[in-house]
Amino acid sequence: MVNLIIDGKNIAANNDMMLLEAARSAGIDIPTLCAHEAVSRSGACRLCVVEIQKGNRTRIVTSCLYGAEEGLVVNTKSERVLNVRRLVMELLLARCPQY
């Protein structure tokens, strides 16, 4: 088990859990398009991005591919995350302009 913080909430997760799974198990919703338990992880849609903090460094990662780590601080709703998700949706919609 590892302990991490997601959106200010202390979470205990299994060592082999991805951030998306850990968040969902704690009732924290992260939007996805390609994540499904019947399909292998691919990170193709990039909609599940979150911001992680390790020490003084932050970065954007895909929560379906990034494993839960001890002491990790995760933000699923920062302005930076929301901007990246908006951009991802715009790019996906630009590929299908008829919708």
Side-chain angles (χ1 to χ4, degrees), residues 48-88:
C48 69
V49 295
V50 296
E51 187 172 17
I52 61 167
Q53 180 178 353
K54 291 169 94 174
N56 293 329
R57 184 175 174 211
T58 64
R59 65 184 180 143
I60 298 289
V61 299
T62 53
S63 64
C64 67
L65 295 177
Y66 197 93
E69 295 178 5
E70 183 68 36
L72 196 64
V73 177
V74 181
N75 191 329
T76 68
K77 298 175 184 148
S78 71
E79 192 62 35
R80 186 175 175 198
V81 167
L82 296 178
N83 285 336
V84 170
R85 286 185 190 153
R86 239 180 254 113
L87 177 62
V88 166

Side-chain angles (χ1 to χ4, degrees), residues 2 7 10 24 32 35 47 67 93 99:
V2 294
D7 291 343
N10 291 320
R24 285 182 173 172
T32 63
L47 197 58
L93 289 171
Y99 296 102

